[in-house]
Amino acid sequence: MLIPTFETAAGAFLIAGLLTRAVALLLSALMLTTGFWIKLSVWHTGILGPNGVGGAEVDFLCLVVCLMLFAAGPCLQAADPGLGLERPRRRPESPHLPTFATPHMIFAPRRTTESGHHDVLGQQHLGRPHLLRIG
């Protein structure tokens, strides 16, 4: 009864973004314990389990996800930064135009003006990538 209650509470904490790194680390320890010690050593079910059911593959998947959450930390919308528990990582602002397309950009069609220059939506081409910022 203790482990399902802990998993439910930890899931609620992760959804709210509260104590993200600590909860992810505790869940990682739990998944490591259930995957390696209980399912592989005590029950001898193997990774995929008998007939492909009941193995440790879900535990290992949850372990990897929890380790990724621990490494990434909270996002900007999480409760941790709002409560001052942890500062989220911010993407550094660059004064230069990016040299790759991000989700906030789309490729804009080029056209040739009467003078023979290429422009993007009415702007002169200056040797930069033909991207239009939409975000």
Side-chain angles (χ1 to χ4, degrees):
M1 186 70 181
L2 180 64
I3 290 177
T5 304
F6 170 72
E7 288 177 347
T8 304
F13 272 61
L14 286 178
I15 289 172
L18 187 61
L19 301 172
T20 305
R21 289 185 194 263
V23 171
L25 190 63
L26 289 173
L27 278 174
S28 296
L30 177 68
M31 293 301 129
L32 195 66
T33 303
T34 58
F36 280 110
W37 184 51
I38 294 176
K39 289 191 177 178
L40 294 182
S41 298
V42 176
W43 292 352
H44 303 289
T45 58
I47 301 242
L48 295 177
N51 300 323
V53 179
E57 75 276 3
V58 175
D59 299 301
F60 294 148
L61 176 67
C62 290
L63 171 66
V64 170
V65 168
C66 288
L67 289 175
M68 290 174 60
L69 282 172
F70 177 75
C75 66
L76 291 174
Q77 293 82 15
D80 285 347
L83 297 174
L85 298 174
E86 187 170 352
R87 293 174 50 192
R89 292 184 309 179
R90 293 182 185 253
R91 196 167 71 191
E93 298 293 329
S94 173
H96 306 290
L97 287 176
T99 58
F100 57 90
T102 64
H104 302 289
M105 298 180 170
I106 59 171
F107 286 97
R110 287 191 290 179
R111 63 180 177 185
T112 305
T113 61
E114 294 173 3
S115 62
H117 297 321
H118 296 290
D119 69 356
V120 179
L121 300 177
Q123 297 177 358
Q124 286 291 334
H125 172 60
L126 301 174
R128 296 182 182 140
H130 295 287
L131 297 173
L132 173 67
R133 184 175 287 276
I134 60 172

